Amino acid sequence: MRRTIDWADGAVVIIDQTALPGEYRLLHLRTVGELVDAIKRLAVRGAPALGAAGALGVVLAARTSENVHADAELIATARPTAVNLAWGVERAMKKLDQGEDAVLEEALVLLAEDEELNKVASKNAAAIVLAECPRRPLRLLSHCNAGRLATVGWGSALGVVWHLRERGLVEEVLVDETRPLLQGARLTAWELAQANVPYRVQPDGAAAAAMARGMVDCVLVGADRIAANGDVANKIGTYGLAIAAKHHGVPFVVVAPSSTVDRTLATGAGVAIEERDARELTEYAGVRVTPPGTQVFNPAFDVTPHELITAVVTEHGRFAP
Ligand code: MRU
């Protein structure tokens, strides 16, 4: 299976995540402007994949730009919440004085590490899920997309499903559709279908009811930024999911590479939360669904306090706040 994001022939090559599942198409991004636009439109998305985009963006800047530092800043701030984006930019920028080949080499190392570290993190998390959840096979609940498409390859939270599936331990995955941009219904469902894993899509509002009916053994989510105390910023709706899981005694496991940890933040209160375009809510498939002039509250992420989380798991094992 090809990487979600890679470098080929002088371009950043991404699987266009705005087109899936209807169309599988690749985009070749040759300028910093094209890359920044792709990040903002969520053609490439998911914290680890954004880390890769940040590093490869610096390669583009080093090759094409008159002011690499200004372009690096544009890339790093294209979206504010996932710490991986700025982390990827910074890591590549450290090689700038050694020339563009050194920057590319560093970016490619970052990509390879991302695949490997997510595999390890999700393997660690699979062991924790098995220890926390006695039922076999398991019924897992997923929010947003934390699969291959959100990383360079393999996936974080959905990576746990791949590990458990190999051992015949997955009964089904309940997929939150993930309003308003449907990363669950479009992307996670597509990945599960490709892998022949049984799944059902549900509206986000059905998650608590599914737990109340005893349909969920474990909630698995990814992360966009993890504060030093273990608070987790992730796709909007994650916080509510964690409250419902706590209420129903369902383990709530967060899986991420350690590049998502931001030790400069003592708590999740300091995370910058992206607010997105009103039309994501006032329109549905291009058709207006709210009265003219409707105002919206459209945060892309929320922060789940660490007390609600069973385990935050990285490639190093359980994250210690
Ligand atoms: O707005 P998105 O689609 O970039 O949000 C993605 C998420 O919230 C994911 O859960 C997170 O980045 C972890 S992906 C392994």
Side-chain angles (χ1 to χ4, degrees):
M1 236 177 253
R2 73 168 298 123
R3 286 173 165 177
T4 298
I5 176 163
D6 212 343
W7 178 262
D9 304 326
V12 179
V13 184
I14 61 169
I15 299 172
D16 183 352
Q17 297 189 41
T18 63
L20 286 170
E23 189 188 342
Y24 180 95
R25 91 180 156 220
L26 301 179
L27 295 180
H28 292 74
L29 312 170
R30 297 187 189 279
T31 66
V32 168
E34 287 173 5
L35 178 74
V36 167
D37 179 58
I39 293 171
K40 287 182 191 282
R41 293 189 299 109
L42 272 53
V44 57
R45 48 146 297 281
L50 289 175
L56 290 174
V58 174
V59 180
L60 284 180
R63 292 164 66 103
T64 62
S65 170
E66 308 236 307
N67 189 341
V68 179
H69 286 270
D71 273 356
E73 184 63 17
L74 273 182
I75 299 162
T77 56
R79 294 186 76 194
T81 305
V83 69
N84 307 60
L85 180 57
W87 168 84
V89 169
E90 273 166 35
R91 189 164 153 179
M93 282 297 281
K94 286 196 179 125
K95 298 286 174 177
L96 189 60
D97 56 358
Q98 294 172 38
E100 62 183 64
D101 288 348
V103 176
L104 176 58
E105 198 180 315
E106 181 69 2
L108 293 177
V109 169
L110 184 152
L111 265 63
E113 281 177 9
D114 185 77
E115 284 183 300
E116 192 48 38
L117 298 184
N118 278 301
K119 238 179 231 177
V120 177
S122 52
K123 191 166 190 181
N124 292 339
I128 289 170
V129 170
L130 290 173
E132 294 282 343
C133 311
R135 191 182 189 277
R136 304 284 182 271
L138 290 156
R139 294 138 335 145
L140 305 161
L141 191 150
S142 144
H143 191 68
C144 194
N145 171 266
R148 289 179 181 286
L149 292 168
T151 61
V152 176
W154 190 258
S156 59
L158 212 57
V160 178
V161 173
W162 312 142
H163 284 298
L164 295 173
R165 163 73 171 188
E166 273 171 13
R167 298 168 61 185
L169 294 172
V170 179
E171 181 170 318
E172 88 165 338
V173 181
L174 275 179
V175 177
D176 277 358
E177 61 175 351
T178 315
R179 287 288 296 147
L181 283 177
L182 304 177
Q183 286 93 329
R186 294 188 303 107
L187 307 175
T188 301
W190 181 77
E191 289 195 44
L192 291 166
Q194 295 268 310
N196 278 318
V197 175
Y199 70 91
R200 283 186 282 172
V201 172
Q202 64 182 3
D204 296 357
M211 291 184 220
R213 288 195 197 185
M215 293 162 59
V216 181
D217 300 312
C218 188
V219 177
L220 287 169
V221 297
D224 287 87
R225 198 180 286 245
I226 300 164
N229 71 341
D231 291 351
V232 168
N234 190 51
K235 177 53 54 193
I236 190 71
T238 302
Y239 176 33
L241 212 48
I243 293 172
K246 186 79 163 183
H247 182 73
H248 293 291
V250 174
F252 187 94
V253 175
V254 178
V255 192
S258 60
S259 50
T260 305
V261 176
D262 180 357
R263 288 191 188 273
T264 69
L265 290 184
T267 74
V271 179
I273 301 292
E274 175 184 9
E275 296 227 6
R276 293 188 57 86
D277 196 299
R279 280 170 304 179
E280 291 178 355
L281 285 168
T282 58
E283 294 178 4
Y284 192 81
V287 177
R288 197 174 67 210
V289 291
T290 57
T294 294
Q295 302 292 303
V296 307
F297 172 52
N298 188 20
F301 302 96
D302 59 25
V303 175
T304 300
H306 61 96
E307 313 86 69
L308 297 178
I309 300 171
T310 309
V312 174
V313 189
T314 73
E315 70 275 14
H316 304 305
R318 258 180 208 257
F319 173 76

